[in-house]
Amino acid sequence: MIFKSPYDDAFIDDVPLAGFVLKKGAELGDKPALIDGPSGRTITYAQLLASVQMVAAGLHERGFGKGDVFAIYSPNVPEYAVAYMAVASIGGVNTTASPLYTAEELAFQLNDANAVYLLTVPQLLEVALEAASRSNVKEVFVLGEAEGATPFASLMSGGPVPSVEIDVHNDLVALPYSSGTTGFPKGVMLTHRNLVGNICQTLELHRTTPEDRLMGVLPFFHIYGQQVIMNAGLFRGATIITMPRFDLEQFLQIMQDRKITRAYLVPPIVLGLAKHPLVDGFDLSELELILSGAAPLGQELQEAVERRLQCRALQGYGLTETSPVTHVIPDDDTSAKAGSIGPLVPNTEAKVVAVDSGQELGPNERGEIWVRGPQIMKGYLNNEEATAHTIDADDFLHTGDIGYVDDDGYFFIVDRLKELIKYKGFQVPPAELEALLLGHEAISDAAVIPVPDEEAGEIPKAFVVASGDITEEDLMSWVADRVAPHKKIRRVEMVDEIPKSPSGKIL
């Protein structure tokens, strides 16, 4: 059966992204749009508008035009939004790369995306130049000044900004890279309509205002930080405080000093807020809302951070391929169910499909989540096979995530399809066991993986970071008391740290 959003369809403006996001900029004038958290360097809305126009003109003078690809290889800084919106405003395409990439990884993306320009920061310039030399990039720009690259400020031209005809339904504006449900990183083709549409879809559910101060710690190269914080935050007229990299103590200092009201985070940061002793030394009383995404947030952890910080903690869900939001708990939902990703956002439909048989399932039955709506990507760049594998003939995108919907229309994610552990034919979701482990007072972090086993096929093994006194045997016994026999953890290994990606996914 097809599940529909409980909300009326949202009106979606058929307009290009940059003009849509920045349309309130003139009236907001001297209000801070972006603040560099560590230094306090500020770009007001008036300065943002002027800078975007000047950079757009400078790019145009260099011959950069509609359909050309501009790569951004940088941590979160206020100028990220300037470059991104300037490119978007003249019909260009932003391909955003992780600042943790090696030269080889960056060169792959530059070549696959056919990028013509690259923007970076002095600290990453050596890697950027090496990657550019292996690609068709014509020029490398750097924020500030550094030998071997052109200062980004040189793009600040006083020339005219060209008028560009943009087909919002078909012209790309963003080309982030994702491994999708399987395989090598692929360029996700997102149109103006995709990104504008997704902002419109969440307008009545997340009511950010110009008075809000948003924490911009999630990387802007990732669709969550790029769209939910940067694009939607600027559209709302909020002030975004950027952080180039996550450091818990500096993060807490900025949260306190900048009086952050809304924090868009990932579960590892939520875990720190719930359990780390450093938190007690900071005043986070201005914080009203935490929204967690990018990876499952367990019920115990969600409730723990709410109790400690006396603020609401909600969860949303999406993919790079869905621009990204498909589900979210609304701000004003007083009946929000802990552990749920919420109902479908407006204009969105879903199916739950049995993994083995392909049969469509009903409420409270677990299967792969499929979604359909205006936020679904155009496809993977130069990869029709992967596109066809992900989006079916009925335009449903197969998420690769296992979950279910309850009788009230609230969805729950259990795990990734490709990460399920098969124990004697039973499916064991690692995320479920990880959430359980994080509920133990002596455990500060955990990851669960499959380990080959001759008799069972695979067994669950837990890597745990202990914050208190506990043995491997005690922990296995504690879990066994709380799960079905096939979900028991059969091996435990104590480690100092769980490795995670910048978006919060366990590596």
Side-chain angles (χ1 to χ4, degrees):
M1 64 183 293
I2 294 178
F3 298 96
K4 297 183 182 294
S5 171
Y7 309 108
D8 293 337
D9 280 356
F11 172 76
I12 298 175
D13 283 325
D14 272 335
V15 294
L17 179 70
F20 176 80
V21 167
L22 300 175
K23 67 182 179 182
K24 296 175 186 169
E27 65 188 63
L28 292 169
D30 291 336
K31 181 186 186 298
L34 299 123
I35 299 173
D36 180 63
S39 71
R41 187 167 48 82
T42 299
I43 295 179
T44 67
Y45 273 91
Q47 290 168 336
L48 177 61
L49 282 177
S51 298
V52 165
Q53 288 185 321
M54 287 189 287
V55 172
L59 286 170
H60 173 64
E61 287 176 1
R62 273 175 159 79
F64 183 91
K66 183 177 175 180
D68 288 337
V69 178
F70 187 97
I72 306 178
Y73 174 59
S74 168
N76 288 9
V77 290
E79 289 80 7
Y80 206 112
V82 174
Y84 186 98
M85 289 300 161
V87 168
S89 69
I90 54 173
V93 183
N94 289 284
T95 191
T96 51
S98 168
L100 299 181
Y101 270 181
T102 63
E104 185 175 352
E105 290 168 319
L106 180 58
F108 167 80
Q109 184 167 332
L110 295 175
N111 283 308
D112 193 64
N114 196 25
V116 294
Y117 290 129
L118 172 62
L119 173 65
T120 191
V121 294
Q123 299 92 317
L124 301 177
L125 184 57
E126 185 179 348
V127 172
L129 289 172
E130 185 181 341
S133 72
R134 303 186 200 174
S135 74
N136 295 320
V137 166
K138 297 176 183 176
E139 194 169 4
V140 176
F141 297 97
V142 65
L143 296 172
E145 293 190 6
E147 190 175 342
T150 305
F152 181 66
S154 68
L155 283 172
M156 299 281 191
S157 164
V161 178
S163 177
V164 180
E165 284 292 323
I166 292 175
D167 177 353
V168 299
H169 290 267
N170 292 299
D171 290 342
L172 305 187
V173 67
L175 190 64
Y177 273 65
S178 166
S179 60
T181 54
T182 57
F184 214 65
K186 297 174 282 292
V188 177
M189 297 190 290
L190 300 178
T191 66
H192 291 260
R193 167 80 173 185
N194 288 149
L195 299 192
V196 169
N198 205 229
I199 292 172
C200 293
Q201 287 174 289
T202 56
L203 275 182
E204 294 303 315
L205 307 181
H206 268 307
R207 295 179 181 167
T208 306
T209 72
E211 283 69 51
D212 279 311
R213 294 170 297 281
L214 312 184
M215 192 70 208
V217 66
L218 298 187
F220 291 163
F221 82 83
H222 187 274
I223 193 66
Y224 183 9
Q226 182 181 133
Q227 173 76 338
V228 177
I229 301 175
M230 186 176 76
N231 291 344
L234 292 174
F235 170 79
R236 295 284 198 164
T239 297
I240 301 168
I241 291 83
T242 63
M243 270 189 80
R245 65 181 185 84
F246 180 74
D247 170 83
L248 180 59
E249 188 166 6
Q250 186 182 57
F251 169 80
L252 294 169
Q253 191 74 54
I254 290 171
M255 289 271 286
Q256 171 186 278
D257 295 350
R258 301 291 176 189
K259 302 184 186 304
I260 298 297
T261 60
R262 298 170 78 91
Y264 295 89
L265 305 174
V266 290
I269 300 178
V270 178
L271 178 64
L273 290 173
K275 295 201 170 191
H276 203 286
L278 264 179
V279 177
D280 293 328
F282 294 87
D283 176 8
L284 306 184
S285 58
E286 295 284 335
L287 186 62
E288 299 167 1
L289 180 80
I290 290 172
L291 181 81
S292 180
L297 181 70
Q299 177 178 344
E300 292 84 0
L301 180 54
Q302 185 174 340
E303 292 172 343
V305 79
E306 285 186 326
R307 282 194 304 270
R308 189 178 196 187
L309 299 186
Q310 294 298 299
C311 73
R312 297 198 69 204
L314 307 176
Q315 193 168 185
Y317 171 82
L319 307 165
T320 306
E321 292 83 352
T322 60
S323 305
V325 185
T326 60
H327 302 69
V328 75
I329 298 279
D331 283 4
D332 57 3
D333 186 349
T334 54
S335 64
K337 303 182 181 188
S340 172
I341 57 172
L344 289 159
V345 300
N347 312 65
T348 305
E349 300 173 313
K351 292 180 183 179
V352 181
V353 179
V355 174
D356 299 327
S357 68
Q359 178 185 352
E360 293 182 18
L361 304 175
N364 302 304
E365 295 181 295
R366 296 185 176 195
E368 184 184 6
I369 308 289
W370 296 5
V371 292
R372 179 168 69 184
Q375 68 272 54
I376 303 300
M377 68 172 178
K378 191 174 179 179
Y380 291 119
L381 181 70
N382 303 324
N383 199 330
E384 292 181 8
E385 183 181 351
T387 301
H389 179 77
T390 304
I391 303 175
D392 64 29
D394 294 321
D395 296 325
F396 276 98
L397 183 138
H398 302 193
T399 67
D401 282 316
I402 304 298
Y404 66 94
V405 56
D406 71 10
D407 294 323
D408 300 319
Y410 283 73
F411 283 73
F412 295 78
I413 296 296
V414 178
D415 220 310
R416 294 287 293 165
L417 175 60
K418 65 179 179 180
E419 290 169 1
L420 286 173
I421 300 167
K422 294 290 185 72
Y423 175 84
K424 295 184 177 179
F426 289 99
Q427 293 180 346
V428 181
E432 183 181 331
L433 292 172
E434 288 159 2
L436 178 63
L437 288 166
L438 291 177
H440 193 294
E441 60 184 13
I443 301 301
S444 62
D445 208 353
V448 176
I449 67 162
V451 173
D453 182 82
E454 190 172 343
E455 180 188 350
E458 293 178 333
I459 58 172
K461 175 181 178 179
F463 293 87
V464 297
V465 180
S467 56
D469 234 358
I470 189 165
T471 66
E472 289 89 342
E473 291 74 20
D474 288 343
L475 192 59
M476 285 190 284
S477 175
W478 182 84
V479 171
D481 289 341
R482 289 161 173 80
V483 298
H486 67 277
K487 294 182 184 177
K488 289 180 184 178
I489 288 173
R490 313 276 167 168
R491 293 187 196 170
V492 173
E493 184 175 332
M494 299 293 184
V495 295
D496 294 330
E497 185 182 13
I498 304 295
K500 293 184 176 129
S501 73
S503 62
K505 290 185 173 66
I506 295 171
L507 298 174

